[in-house]
């Protein structure tokens, strides 16, 4: 039978509570008594349980994760990367869904602090002064996943969105498209919307192609906003022959709007998304997209947090490169 804390107490001729104080360092213990307890532990081969080991290190073995939208499949894959690393390290995760609300984020951070998590991974939302204030008050390491801190205060894992947008636009230009519609995220979004819009424009300019302002629409990365944006693009007297969207959900929404109006994809309209969420390959036609290595983002962020909890310095931004996945939703321009 495995020795327990009670066995240690009997061997050391002291109480269980005294052994616990020795293990956790949570109270005064006479030096002679402490030595007897340590000797008893060694003689019996006693191994403290996970909770006791955590208390000795002043850690709980629990990581907090805050995500903006649990319904978005992007975060499911990011979480899978985190979960696999956490499981391999014997850590537990507590998840907070902010539902795109700063107030809910603040409530979630308070809950995670109450649960005494060892550290927190915050995903995707734009970092504001309000976030920095909360992060500092938490008093524990914070790592950002799929976002970054423009002030460079907190370490992050981030995909190069500008490079990915250049890939997406260049793919359509190489196929011969010139009248290209854009469904972007909010330009003031420094994480995705701004860099992707910069990439779209940079690629078009490199080809000597101007983007018609009438063919540029803004969404919120969700399916419904892509559908509404595509309705407006198709209402233009000279609709685009191709559309690039700043998220797969918006791209799929755009495809649905086009198909509902008898527009054939890719015969009449080519569509490119951004993310490579799992069902981008399940829709028909399968969506051409720029892939973010979502699993890698989550796994890398969790590894960085583990290092940060251990007191080791992390890089300000750990960049991950996207790549192009060509499927059936794009085809060469047809006059």
């Amino acid at each position: 039978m495995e020795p327990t804390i009670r066995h240690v107490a009997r061997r050391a001729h002291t109480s269980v509570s005294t052994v616990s104080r020795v293990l956790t360092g949570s109270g005064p213990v006479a030096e002679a008594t402490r030595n007897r307890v340590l000797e008893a532990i060694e003689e019996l081969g006693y191994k403290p349980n996970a909770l006791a080991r955590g208390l000795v290190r002043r850690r709980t073995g629990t990581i907090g994760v805050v995500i903006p939208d649990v319904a978005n499949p992007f975060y499911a894959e990011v979480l899978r990367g985190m979960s696999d690393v956490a499981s391999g390290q014997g850590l537990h995760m507590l998840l907070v869904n902010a539902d795109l609300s700063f107030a809910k984020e603040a409530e979630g951070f308070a809950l995670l602090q109450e649960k005494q998590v060892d550290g927190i991974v915050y995903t995707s939302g734009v970092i504001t002064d309000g976030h920095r204030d909360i992060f500092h008050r938490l008093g524990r390491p914070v790592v950002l996943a799929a976002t970054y801190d423009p002030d460079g205060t907190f370490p992050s894992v981030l995909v190069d969105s500008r490079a990915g947008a250049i890939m997406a636009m260049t793919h359509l230009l190489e196929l011969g498209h010139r009248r290209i519609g854009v469904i972007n995220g909010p330009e003031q979004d420094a994480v995705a919307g701004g860099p992707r819009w910069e990439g779209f424009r940079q690629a078009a300019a490199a080809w000597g192609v101007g983007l018609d302002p009438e063919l540029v629409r803004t969404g919120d990365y969700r399916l419904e906003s892509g559908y509404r944006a595509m309705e407006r693009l198709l209402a233009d007297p000279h609709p685009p022959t191709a559309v690039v969207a700043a998220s797969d959900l918006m791209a799929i929404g755009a495809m649905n709007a086009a198909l509902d109006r008898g527009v054939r994809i890719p015969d009449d309209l080519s569509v490119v998304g951004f993310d490579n969420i799992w069902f981008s390959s399940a829709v028909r036609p399968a969506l051409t997209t720029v892939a973010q290595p979502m699993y890698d983002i989550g796994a890398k962020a969790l590894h960085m947090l583990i290092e940060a909890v251990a007191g080791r310095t992390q890089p300000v931004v750990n960049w991950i490169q996207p790549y192009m996945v060509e499927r059936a939703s794009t085809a060469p321009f047809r006059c």
Side-chain angles (χ1 to χ4, degrees):
M1 182 178 66
E2 286 287 325
T4 68
I5 193 170
R6 294 185 182 279
H7 294 127
V8 173
R10 283 199 296 268
R11 176 66 67 91
H13 303 292
T14 189
S15 66
V16 169
S17 61
T18 298
V19 175
S20 178
R21 287 199 298 273
V22 172
L23 289 170
T24 63
S26 58
V29 178
E31 188 65 26
T33 303
R34 182 185 303 277
N35 290 337
R36 287 204 313 273
V37 169
L38 294 176
E39 288 173 4
I41 288 173
E42 184 175 355
E43 291 169 0
L44 293 172
Y46 171 67
K47 296 179 180 178
N49 61 30
L51 176 59
R53 290 197 302 272
L55 289 171
V56 170
R57 299 191 308 268
R58 294 293 192 273
R59 298 177 193 164
T60 62
T62 304
I63 298 298
V65 179
V66 179
I67 64 171
D69 182 9
V70 74
N72 189 327
F74 173 88
Y75 299 109
E77 190 66 9
V78 173
L79 284 171
R80 191 170 71 87
M82 293 185 198
S83 179
D84 284 354
V85 173
S87 178
Q89 296 291 325
L91 301 172
H92 301 286
M93 287 173 31
L94 288 179
L95 177 64
V96 171
N97 174 37
D99 200 25
L100 301 177
S101 164
F102 181 77
K104 288 186 177 179
E105 282 183 356
E107 291 175 4
F109 285 125
L111 173 65
L112 295 175
Q113 187 173 34
E114 180 183 320
K115 296 296 184 181
Q116 298 184 344
V117 296
D118 296 331
I120 294 174
V121 177
Y122 176 76
T123 64
S124 199
V126 177
I127 303 302
T128 65
D129 288 339
H131 287 97
R132 294 185 193 95
D133 182 55
I134 290 174
F135 294 164
H136 284 303
R137 284 190 281 110
L138 286 171
R140 45 188 40 82
V142 174
V143 169
L144 312 176
T147 184
Y148 80 110
D149 176 12
D151 285 0
T153 306
F154 300 94
S156 65
V157 182
L158 188 65
V159 163
D160 189 341
S161 281
R162 186 183 64 85
I166 290 173
M167 293 177 190
M169 182 63 74
T170 300
H171 173 69
L172 292 174
L173 292 165
E174 288 176 342
L175 290 173
H177 295 279
R178 295 297 180 267
R179 190 161 178 77
I180 299 172
V182 176
I183 305 176
N184 195 41
E187 194 172 342
Q188 65 269 25
D189 169 11
V191 176
R196 290 175 197 179
W197 174 237
E198 182 183 341
F200 295 146
R201 290 192 302 177
Q202 183 176 336
W207 282 66
V209 175
L211 295 177
D212 186 344
E214 295 299 316
L215 298 184
V216 178
R217 296 290 178 263
T218 301
D220 63 4
Y221 306 110
R222 292 177 169 181
L223 192 84
E224 296 80 5
S225 67
Y227 191 100
R228 292 192 300 270
M230 192 72 239
E231 286 182 312
R232 296 178 64 189
L233 290 174
L234 291 176
D236 191 274
H238 303 287
T241 66
V243 169
V244 60
S247 77
D248 283 351
L249 287 178
M250 290 198 299
I252 292 169
M255 289 170 61
N256 289 343
L259 293 169
D260 285 350
R261 285 153 183 75
V263 177
R264 299 170 300 168
I265 300 172
D267 304 74
D268 304 322
L269 178 73
S270 288
V271 179
V272 177
F274 200 115
D275 286 333
N276 197 32
I277 57 177
W278 71 266
F279 61 80
S280 63
S281 61
V283 297
R284 290 296 177 266
L287 179 64
T288 294
T289 186
V290 174
Q292 295 199 64
M294 295 168 282
Y295 180 96
D296 294 345
I297 292 172
K300 184 63 180 176
L302 215 291
H303 277 302
M304 288 174 65
L305 184 61
I306 290 170
E307 291 293 297
V309 169
R312 290 185 278 274
T313 303
Q314 298 304 298
V316 174
V317 179
N318 197 310
W319 291 100
I320 294 183
Q321 293 303 310
Y323 57 92
M324 198 77 200
V325 179
E326 296 181 28
R327 299 194 180 105
S329 67
T330 53
F333 170 68
R334 298 176 184 177
C335 299

